[in-house]
Amino acid sequence: MVSQKDLFELIKSRRSTRSFKAELPPRDALERIVEAGRYAPSGNNNQTTRFIVITSQEKLGELRQVLTGVWANMPIKEGMPPPLVGLIQKAKAGPVDVNYGAPALIITANKRGYVNALPDCSCALMNMMLMAQSEGLGGCWINQYRLMGDAPPLRRFMEEAGLPEDEEICGALALGYIDQPASEPLPRKGNPVVYV
Ligand SMILES: Cc1cc2nc3c(=O)[nH]c(=O)nc-3n(C[C@H](O)[C@H](O)[C@H](O)COP(=O)(O)O)c2cc1C
């Protein structure tokens, strides 16, 4: 059994990785990470979270092009969230890599309209982030695949990659060896707690 101290250290030392080495981590490490995701709890024990693991650099390159194309073809409209406007502007200027060069990407999906789609996938993503940390790897939750999940070119790519028609993308995890200096946990100034 992992000690309470070790587990808390692992939780505290996890940081989002935004610079990855190109080297692909070994298959068995990736499989353990996915297994940790599969062992996450799910509402009603439904176990409907799907994991689409992309380690083909060719496919990751295609995916980058697909997503860049989605944004490059999007008109900027008033009221759009500033991060989206930033991505559209970037994509119009050149390729955008929201995965920060990670050599692996795990996309989680779940049944469209299922009330626990997002919570179930989030539990899986969190388990995978912690498992990655314990493997000496870094990860970063990438939201753009969920936000753009219904854009037809991304949808086509994902269905070709094995996403069934009745499922939607709920989140994604960029994974790989960390290529950035270690950093301290961010101070917790939010996340209020009330004990009653
Ligand atoms: C729901 C969710 C969505 C996120 N989406 C992104 C994202 O699209 N791109 C990104 O670089 N980081 C993303 N992050 C990472 C957060 O920015 C990061 O967790 C936060 O800044 C705290 O930093 P830390 O993870 O290093 O503690 C996301 C995190 C969560 C939980």
Side-chain angles (χ1 to χ4, degrees), residues 74-141:
M74 228 182 228
I76 295 176
K77 291 185 188 152
E78 226 183 287
M80 269 182 167
L84 176 58
V85 172
L87 284 166
I88 296 172
Q89 285 167 338
K90 259 187 164 176
K92 287 185 192 296
V96 180
D97 181 14
V98 291
N99 299 348
Y100 307 106
L105 181 73
I106 304 175
I107 293 187
T108 60
N110 218 318
K111 298 285 177 203
R112 195 181 281 282
Y114 166 47
V115 66
N116 288 324
L118 205 51
D120 284 2
C121 284
S122 300
C123 288
L125 284 161
M126 190 68 243
N127 268 17
M128 292 195 290
M129 283 193 278
L130 290 177
M131 194 67 186
Q133 173 79 1
S134 79
E135 297 274 355
L137 299 173
C140 189
W141 185 312

Side-chain angles (χ1 to χ4, degrees), residues 35-89:
E35 231 18 42
R38 294 183 65 236
Y39 270 86
S42 62
N44 256 334
N45 189 29
N46 264 348
Q47 300 188 21
T48 48
T49 299
R50 182 179 303 277
F51 302 80
I52 297 180
V53 185
I54 309 177
T55 55
S56 150
Q57 301 312 296
E58 196 188 328
K59 283 285 163 200
L60 284 172
E62 260 180 56
L63 183 54
R64 195 160 51 238
Q65 278 181 6
V66 165
L67 205 47
T68 300
V70 167
W71 286 317
N73 289 315
M74 228 182 228
I76 295 176
K77 291 185 188 152
E78 226 183 287
M80 269 182 167
L84 176 58
V85 172
L87 284 166
I88 296 172
Q89 285 167 338

